[in-house]
Structures are given as C-alpha cells and as structure tokens.
Amino acid sequence: DIQMTQSPSSVSAAVGDRVTITCRASQGISSWLAWYQQKPGKAPKLLIYAASSLQSGVPSRFSGSGSGTDFTLTISSLQPEDFATYYCQQANSFPITFGQGTRLEIK
Amino acid sequence: QITLKESGPTLVKPTQTLTLTCTFSGFSLSGSGVGVGWIRQPPGKALEWLALVYWDDDKRYSPSLKNKVTITMDTSKNQVVLTMANMDPVDTATYYCAHRRSSDSWLRVYFDYWGQGILVTVSS
C-alpha cells in the first residue's frame, strides 16, 4: 500500500494568512493526488484533483502543486470558512489511501 | 444534480453483519466511467477507503478488509450496497458513500460527490 503522510498535523493561522500543507507519498504517484476539505460533522469536499486541477466551484485561493512523492496545498489568503481539516488522497493505484489529515485552526 | 444518501442501522452488535445502502440520483451506474465507493471515518480519526464498484461491475476492495466487506450494485434501483461481516467495536465509524469523478480514466479515483454519512456504532 502507498502510505500518505501529511505535515503538519495541525496549524494555526489568521484570516488573510497564506498557508501551505504538505503531503508525501511513500512511493512515486506521478500527479495522481487529490485534496479534500472537511468541516466538523460534514462530508469531505473535493478541492483539487490530479495534484493541481481545481474542482469546479472551488475558490481560486486554493491551489495544489507537486508530482512524484511531494505535494502541497496552498491557501493564498485564508478566509473564515477555510478553517477545517484537510486530507490528501492518492489515486495512483489501489488500495486508495488517505493522509492522516491536517487541522487548520484559527490563531 | 448528483446526490447520495446512506441508510441502514446505526447500532449493531459485535459479530453481526452490517448492511448499508447508498441511494443516489443524478447519474446512472450503467454509464461508462461511473463508480461509487465507500469510505469510513472512526470518530476523530482519518478517512479510510473500503471498496469501490465500477459501472461494469468491476469491484475493488481494501486488502485489509477484503474478507470482511462486499460491495454490490443494483442499477435498476440506483443503489449500491455495502455488507460488512463480523462487526467489531473498532468498526464504529461514520460510513460515507461517494461518487467517482467520471471524466477521469478508470484507474484514477477522485470522489467528487459524497453522501452525508451515517454513524454506525458497534456495541453490545
């Protein structure tokens, strides 16, 4: 199985800040990576697929980059509604695996 | 508009078999490229993928749960069913069904629509 490791596990930031979350795969996955946002009590929401493609309806302040084993999700200017937990997921091969999550908290 | 909704028991006893149904609208499972998966999330923990069924009835399972989980589809009812045998308290989780982005090649699985989830508690 491909292991997905996110860092940091949690981060505190203020509205307007730029935030970067990292995801590392245990082996190369080309660009087959997604990012999801999850708010408490809600289902995850797809933000980014294929490492850098923005899902329809997702604000442009979200961006993704990377290939191979190292990937990043960047939020250019944090908005109040962005405080949530973020997960990466590899789509390179079965079994599908997720990272452990990064909790983004208000500073 | 694509929607999915999970249904089934919210409390099961250890050793029992869990059956969850995902009822969806806005797409057909007979369409090429379509897939529906199940993902679970124990309270306060990360997401775990369980199984996926494709439009052509190709099924994929998490190896760690392969002998425990079965996924089936009923195209006429617009439903996908997850069966999980020999439930244990560690299987307590919110179970989600989700639609796979159909525009990607079949191996690339991204979940673009999710159900609201159903919390299943395993306790005697």
Side-chain angles (χ1 to χ4, degrees):
Chain A
D1 299 6
I2 298 174
Q3 307 302 318
M4 307 301 293
T5 304
Q6 293 182 230
S7 61
S9 295
S10 65
V11 59
S12 296
V15 172
D17 283 354
R18 179 184 181 92
V19 170
T20 298
I21 297 169
T22 297
C23 179
R24 174 164 288 177
S26 61
Q27 62 189 74
I29 59 170
S30 186
S31 296
W32 308 122
L33 183 103
W35 289 98
Y36 297 87
Q37 176 193 68
Q38 187 179 34
K39 297 181 179 179
K42 300 296 186 182
K45 173 186 176 183
L46 179 64
L47 300 176
I48 301 283
Y49 64 95
S52 61
S53 296
L54 197 66
Q55 173 68 359
S56 176
V58 174
S60 59
R61 64 180 180 272
F62 291 92
S63 64
S65 65
S67 66
T69 60
D70 295 318
F71 301 86
T72 59
L73 172 70
T74 300
I75 310 172
S76 60
S77 178
L78 273 173
Q79 299 302 300
E81 61 268 29
D82 300 336
F83 293 94
T85 299
Y86 293 83
Y87 293 94
C88 61
Q89 173 234 314
Q90 64 85 13
N92 182 75
S93 60
F94 288 100
I96 296 162
T97 47
F98 292 87
Q100 84 279 14
T102 294
R103 184 175 178 182
L104 177 53
E105 301 173 317
I106 301 174
K107 184 183 287 185
Chain B
Q1 180 188 1
I2 290 176
T3 64
L4 306 98
K5 186 173 183 179
E6 306 85 354
S7 60
T10 57
L11 178 65
V12 297
K13 291 180 167 53
T15 75
Q16 286 187 333
T17 294
L18 171 69
T19 298
L20 294 176
T21 300
C22 175
T23 303
F24 56 83
S25 63
F27 68 94
S28 171
L29 248 179
S30 59
S32 180
V34 177
V36 173
W38 285 92
I39 303 99
R40 71 178 178 180
Q41 185 173 39
K45 296 188 177 181
L47 301 164
E48 178 186 18
W49 171 73
L50 304 177
L52 177 83
V53 61
Y54 285 99
W55 78 100
D56 59 358
D57 207 28
D58 183 7
K59 299 168 184 176
R60 303 296 170 117
Y61 295 98
S62 169
S64 62
L65 293 167
K66 187 170 184 178
N67 294 327
K68 186 178 172 78
V69 169
T70 303
I71 190 170
T72 58
M73 66 179 189
D74 187 329
T75 305
S76 64
K77 292 184 179 179
N78 280 354
Q79 291 180 335
V80 171
V81 175
L82 180 78
T83 303
M84 185 173 288
N86 193 24
M87 292 292 283
D88 184 273
V90 300
D91 296 314
T92 294
T94 296
Y95 288 76
Y96 296 99
C97 63
H99 171 271
R100 170 193 175 271
R101 265 179 53 94
S102 304
S103 53
D104 301 298
S105 66
W106 72 271
L107 182 57
R108 309 304 168 201
V109 179
Y110 305 112
F111 297 109
D112 56 355
Y113 294 91
W114 294 63
Q116 64 189 24
I118 182 169
L119 175 60
V120 178
T121 301
V122 184
S123 174
S124 55

